[in-house]
Each structure stands twice: as structure tokens, then as C-alpha cells.
Amino acid sequence: MATTALRGTPVETIGDLPLVGDVAPDFTLATTDLKDVTRPEGKRVVLNIFPSIDTGVCATSVRKFNELAAGLDNVEVICASEDLPFALKRFCGAEGIENVTAASAFRSTFGEDYGVTLTGTGMKGLLARSVVVIDADGTVLHSQLVPEITTEPDYDAALAVLN
């Protein structure tokens, strides 16, 4: 179990994020058109994991990774939450998000497999804000459970391992 915080109050997750050097768990998420998305073969992946697209910080992280992804070679950015694909599609359409894949964990074990499902609060069942960067061979290059859910992830640290 790992601990993050929500406005200073400790919140636990059901497990731990994979560590740098670990083999990243496989995953299947649902895209905004309800198709399955898995870790792409031969590409590096940035997983931007967050509670809900309908909160300011989560929306900001998707916008920021969308902006950053435009300049990355051989990298796919997947923004994952428990939001329904319809909500993600609405947001991405309204915001012009085109450089990332917005995906829902609503029908998968993604949160459990990555240890990011929140427990014991009103946010129980949502995903903790975190970032995992995975190399083309499936090795975890960077892993961050953001210590305070209401703050943005460390974009620079996530991208630094891709250079």
C-alpha cells in the first residue's frame, strides 16, 4: 500500500506503483470510441494517471501532456482515469486534445495492476494522480505517485528519462 494525500489528509492506494527497473504490467484501457488500447509495441509510453477529467488539476495535466507530446519522438502518451470514455471524449473534443490518447480504466484491472486505486475516502475507486514512463521494451523508466492529489505531477522528471 502507498500513501498520497488529499488536501493534506493521507489517502491510501491498494498497492504500489511499479518501481524503476520493473517490467510494467500489461494493461487494456478503453479509448474514447470504446476500442481497447494496450501498451504499443516498440514505443515508449508515458502514463498520465489521474482521478477525474472533471477536476481542474486533472484537466491541466492532460492539456500539459498534450502540449509536451507534440515534441516527443517514438512516445505515446496515454492519459488514464476511471472516467467514462464519453466524458473523456467530450473533454478532448472541447479542448482540441489530439496528441495524447485519453483512455478509461472503467472495465479493466488497470488501477489494481498499477497499485493506484484509491481506498478509504469519498474518492474510493478512483485512480491516484501518478505518472509512469515505460521504455519500448516494457521496463519502467520513471514512476511518481504525486504526494498531494491536488497538485500537478513532475512533468520535467517524467520527460527527462526520455532524453
Side-chain angles (χ1 to χ4, degrees):
M1 233 183 294
T3 303
T4 182
L6 178 61
R7 294 183 185 90
T9 302
V11 181
E12 292 182 340
T13 64
I14 62 150
D16 295 296
L17 276 173
L19 300 172
V20 172
D22 287 352
V23 174
D26 289 333
F27 61 84
T28 301
L29 299 164
T31 64
T32 58
D33 59 1
L34 299 174
K35 293 183 179 167
D36 287 345
V37 63
T38 59
R39 186 171 55 82
E41 297 277 331
K43 282 191 151 190
R44 298 175 297 166
V45 176
V46 176
L47 291 173
N48 173 36
I49 305 164
F50 56 92
S52 175
I53 197 65
D54 289 320
T55 66
V57 177
C58 298
T60 297
S61 74
V62 172
R63 286 185 201 106
K64 182 71 173 180
F65 273 115
N66 183 65
E67 175 186 317
L68 296 169
L72 300 174
D73 290 329
N74 197 40
V75 176
E76 184 163 342
V77 178
I78 300 174
C79 297
S81 72
E82 286 287 343
D83 290 301
L84 290 177
F86 316 112
L88 294 168
K89 186 174 187 171
R90 172 186 42 80
F91 175 82
C92 291
E95 296 285 329
I97 304 294
E98 297 177 348
N99 299 320
V100 301
T101 300
S104 174
F106 86 106
R107 63 181 179 205
S108 75
T109 59
F110 176 85
E112 291 81 12
D113 297 342
Y114 276 79
V116 294
T117 301
L118 296 168
T119 64
T121 71
M123 294 179 70
K124 180 180 180 179
L126 297 179
L127 305 180
R129 184 174 321 288
S130 47
V131 176
V132 178
V133 180
I134 306 166
D135 203 1
D137 67 2
T139 303
V140 174
L141 299 174
H142 170 81
S143 182
Q144 179 198 20
L145 175 64
V146 178
E148 170 58 53
I149 293 172
T150 61
T151 62
E152 294 177 60
D154 186 343
Y155 304 107
D156 292 337
L159 297 180
V161 299
L162 295 171
N163 294 327

